Amino acid sequence: MLINAFYPNGLYEAGCDEAGRGCYAGPVCAAAVILPASFYHPLLNDSKQVTAANRNQLRCIIEQQAIAWAVAMVSHEEIDRINILQATYMAMHKAIDGLAVKPDLLLIDGNRFKPYLGIAHHCIIKGDGKYAAIAAASILAKTHRDAYMQQLHQQFPHYNWQKNKGYGTTEHRMAIQQYGLCRYHRQSFAIAP
């Protein structure tokens, strides 16, 4: 069961999470979300535990009811330039930059984070299944990135990104074997069919 708040009321907590870190193609996407202390939705959970239809429903609810939210992407070119870990930190920082309200505390999914100047943070392993703000960020990061990959699918339908979203599925690896890499693939990843 998700816990609504990490700290007592009176502090603005922003949950932060990313999507697409392990993909072969496309950007890494991060979201930052500040929820009202009273926010509750029975479907809210780690995005990987929620169906696509429910994720899209939750996206609308989160975007309407959040105190503030922002999503940021870092391109595959930048991932190749600075590496995926640094690109993930960059995406999270850009999402935090985009918040209309400055949080007092950052709740980060995972075990590592590059500190954001002037805001304390806590790293929480599997935090997207424990804290509502992180779960909400995971939903926004995943749905925004999925929508972007569906747009890219129109240009390169043979990779079937509308289904695999750029992850290294068997189908995606077979398509790479047949068609090679395209300009949206991460050249720095050891991509093998």
Side-chain angles (χ1 to χ4, degrees):
M1 172 146 178
L2 290 164
I3 299 168
N4 256 347
F6 185 81
Y7 262 40
N9 288 345
L11 291 178
Y12 280 133
E13 307 169 353
C16 300
D17 200 4
E18 55 74 28
R21 187 170 167 178
C23 290
Y24 284 5
V28 64
C29 181
V33 180
I34 302 174
L35 292 175
S38 60
F39 183 91
Y40 172 78
H41 195 285
L43 294 176
L44 184 62
N45 202 342
D46 167 10
S47 63
K48 295 183 288 297
Q49 305 300 320
V50 179
T51 66
N54 286 344
R55 281 195 300 264
N56 287 323
Q57 179 185 343
L58 283 164
R59 172 181 168 174
C60 295
I61 292 165
I62 293 162
E63 290 177 358
Q64 288 168 2
Q65 297 186 20
I67 292 168
W69 65 272
V71 172
M73 295 191 192
V74 171
S75 71
H76 59 284
E77 295 104 333
E78 192 71 3
I79 291 168
D80 287 338
R81 192 177 73 79
I82 64 174
N83 80 45
I84 186 60
L85 181 61
Q86 296 304 316
T88 300
Y89 295 155
M90 179 185 286
M92 285 187 171
H93 281 221
K94 288 172 77 171
I96 297 162
D97 288 343
L99 290 171
V101 174
K102 183 180 177 181
D104 301 297
L105 176 69
L106 302 173
L107 304 180
I108 309 297
D109 184 56
N111 62 356
R112 287 190 290 180
F113 181 64
K114 182 178 180 181
Y116 185 94
L117 188 63
I119 305 177
H121 73 272
H122 287 285
C123 292
I124 302 156
I125 296 170
K126 297 186 179 176
D128 49 4
K130 297 174 183 174
Y131 296 100
I134 303 177
S138 80
I139 294 289
L140 294 195
K142 172 74 174 154
T143 54
H144 280 260
R145 188 182 185 281
D146 283 359
Y148 181 81
M149 292 307 294
Q150 286 172 331
Q151 291 175 0
L152 291 188
H153 169 81
Q154 306 306 316
Q155 297 177 51
F156 296 94
H158 42 274
Y159 298 114
N160 203 12
W161 289 337
Q162 69 179 355
K163 182 179 177 187
N164 63 54
K165 309 302 188 293
Y167 283 92
T169 62
T170 300
E171 174 190 45
H172 191 181
R173 293 196 308 273
M174 296 285 286
I176 291 168
Q177 189 173 37
Q178 183 174 358
Y179 300 104
L181 301 178
C182 78
R183 69 177 182 270
Y184 292 107
H185 280 102
R186 299 174 184 178
Q187 305 296 322
S188 58
F189 278 38
I191 298 173

